[in-house]
Amino acid sequence: MKANSKTSKLTIACVMAAFFIQGFCDIVGISSDYAKSAFGWSDTMAGFIPSMLFVWFLFFSVPVGIKMSKWGKKNTVLIGMAVTILGSLIPLLRHSWACLVGYALLGIGNAILQVSQNALVSHVIKDGKLLTSSLTGGQVVKAISSFCGPFIMLFAVNTLGGGDPQNWHLAFPCLGAITLLSGLWLYFSPVEKEPEQQTDVTVGATFSLLKNPKILALFFGIFFVVGIDVGTNFISSKILIQRHGWSLAEAGIAPQVYFICRTVGAFIGVFIMTRIKDITYYRINILTCICAILALALIPMSATLTLAFIGAIGFLCSCIFPTIFAMAVKEEPQRANLISGLMITAVAGGGAVPPLIGWANDSFQTITAGILALLVCAIYLTYCAFFVKHKPE
């Protein structure tokens, strides 16, 4: 199906719009601050909120990838949206347990979407050149959603909730309404159903790829780069609150700066990596990122410089995920599909690092300890950059 008719263009547009739903998980950064205040949680407890979202990638990515051959790509995307809508309604019960269940369902829905969305794009768009640009565009749509997260939270608190921070949970039905509209658009859009495929691939066979030491090392590379991504999003507003005395509403700009810089870094990286080797760019970025984390942790600075270093981490890490992903696929290209599903499973790292940051903050009573937790991730990524053999094209 090529984009040469009104129907196909509308179909492609609705499929691309669905990437916006993927960005909802990134609202975890700013919403964790409101949840902490509303329920009186410690930093450690608040750190488990991202875990409730991202841990499900560990359990759902590979099984959903296998089942998708039977369910169909469009139906799998719709299932992910349905779970997301359910997750957006649970927090309206206004209990701490309902909040955690809601986050868990958002994470499950997002895991299903992450696995099926790119596959659906590749099914709808047959032209190779258009497919590459469309997948890149999908990540841009996701980044825009991440950027809008704090605005949605402020709208829920100030407009729907009358300015009361205790009404932060009203952001969830906003996410559900957007998801419902996107799901209805996709449901009524004509997408050719692919024939049902029978496969003898099992979950065990997929995870057996980790017996390859290089695949195992790169698996944890994905784990830790997503950990830096979610961890920086999680801690960024807290740095401004604790070090500079900003309010929750004011500190919401920190995740926005991070996501803007991450998006800009991805765009610039595409052009730079056409001129230098991707592994070279990776090495430069991770070493510079370590310097940025150390400066943010140890050097007293103004709020403006703090925001600049938060943005720098987003910019410098923006191209590391696809580089590690490509390294893994090039290791055994004949098993690219299985490796891809396995690498998406490692996105669960986004749920492991924030609790570590929260524990460090509570244990040492300083935000510096939480920032240094990001350094652990960066050190491992440095190992992947310099000591994991990179197979050229």
Side-chain angles (χ1 to χ4, degrees):
M1 181 186 296
K2 295 184 179 181
N4 55 7
S5 69
K6 182 178 179 180
T7 300
S8 62
K9 287 180 180 179
L10 287 175
T11 299
I12 291 172
C14 99
V15 171
M16 297 302 296
F19 276 98
F20 194 85
I21 313 303
Q22 288 188 21
F24 287 171
C25 270
D26 290 321
I27 202 173
V28 67
I30 186 65
S31 65
S32 64
D33 294 325
Y34 282 93
K36 176 186 173 183
S37 175
F39 301 120
W41 289 342
S42 64
D43 277 346
T44 302
M45 183 61 190
F48 277 102
I49 293 180
S51 300
M52 297 304 296
L53 273 82
F54 290 96
V55 71
W56 304 107
F57 284 86
L58 182 63
F59 301 106
F60 280 85
S61 296
V62 172
V64 168
I66 294 173
K67 286 292 186 180
M68 186 166 56
S69 298
K70 180 178 181 180
W71 295 341
K73 297 177 177 64
K74 175 180 174 179
N75 289 337
T76 306
V77 172
L78 291 172
I79 290 172
M81 289 182 175
V83 175
T84 299
I85 293 171
L86 179 60
S88 69
L89 298 177
I90 300 295
L92 292 176
L93 297 176
R94 302 192 67 171
H95 291 285
S96 58
W97 66 264
C99 172
L100 295 176
V101 171
Y103 276 120
L105 289 173
L106 286 178
I108 293 171
N110 205 273
I112 297 172
L113 287 172
Q114 293 265 16
V115 173
S116 58
Q117 189 68 36
N118 287 338
L120 180 60
V121 173
S122 64
H123 174 66
V124 172
I125 301 174
K126 305 300 184 183
D127 184 276
K129 293 181 180 179
L130 185 58
L131 174 60
T132 301
S133 61
S134 297
L135 290 174
T136 302
Q139 294 307 304
V140 174
V141 174
K142 181 177 180 291
I144 293 173
S145 174
S146 300
F147 173 75
C148 290
F151 288 114
I152 295 174
M153 181 62 66
L154 291 175
F155 171 77
V157 171
N158 296 328
T159 303
L160 300 180
D164 184 357
Q166 296 295 314
N167 290 323
W168 67 278
H169 63 282
L170 296 177
F172 287 91
C174 294
L175 304 181
I178 297 171
T179 305
L180 178 61
L181 291 175
S182 180
L184 289 173
W185 188 10
L186 178 61
Y187 179 81
F188 289 106
S189 295
V191 175
E192 179 184 357
K193 189 179 186 304
E194 67 274 19
E196 182 176 320
Q197 301 175 12
Q198 297 295 330
T199 177
D200 56 358
V201 176
T202 64
V203 173
T206 302
F207 279 99
S208 69
L209 293 169
L210 294 176
K211 293 178 181 179
N212 182 326
K214 182 174 178 180
I215 296 295
L216 179 63
L218 295 174
F219 176 88
F220 281 107
I222 294 291
F223 185 93
F224 283 112
V225 73
V226 177
I228 283 187
D229 182 35
V230 180
T232 306
N233 176 26
F234 171 74
I235 200 174
S236 59
S237 56
K238 295 172 179 59
I239 297 173
L240 293 173
I241 292 171
Q242 294 188 29
R243 284 187 175 176
H244 303 289
W246 287 24
S247 67
L248 274 174
E250 293 171 331
I253 193 176
Q256 292 174 309
V257 169
Y258 176 78
F259 289 124
I260 289 173
C261 292
R262 188 180 71 176
T263 304
V264 172
F267 271 115
I268 293 178
V270 170
F271 295 103
I272 292 179
M273 286 188 290
T274 61
R275 291 167 174 78
I276 66 175
K277 293 181 179 179
D278 55 356
I279 190 63
T280 301
Y281 191 55
Y282 173 12
R283 289 168 177 169
I284 293 171
N285 279 337
I286 193 58
L287 290 176
T288 310
C289 183
I290 286 178
C291 295
I293 294 173
L294 286 172
L296 188 62
L298 304 176
I299 300 176
M301 61 183 69
S302 66
T304 301
L305 274 179
T306 297
L307 284 171
F309 276 102
I310 289 171
I313 296 173
F315 183 94
L316 294 167
C317 291
S318 60
C319 293
I320 293 179
F321 181 99
T323 302
I324 294 178
F325 200 97
M327 289 171 65
V329 171
K330 285 188 287 187
E331 175 66 12
E332 295 188 46
Q334 72 280 7
R335 307 175 79 176
N337 288 341
L338 294 182
I339 291 175
S340 296
L342 187 63
M343 291 298 123
I344 291 297
T345 301
V347 172
V353 174
L356 175 63
I357 292 174
W359 172 83
N361 289 345
D362 286 335
S363 298
F364 297 95
Q365 295 297 304
T366 172
I367 198 70
T368 299
I371 299 172
L372 290 175
L374 299 174
L375 185 64
V376 176
C377 302
I379 290 173
Y380 183 84
L381 294 172
T382 305
Y383 164 76
C384 289
F386 288 92
F387 297 101
V388 176
K389 188 176 179 181
H390 182 263
K391 183 180 291 186
E393 292 288 354

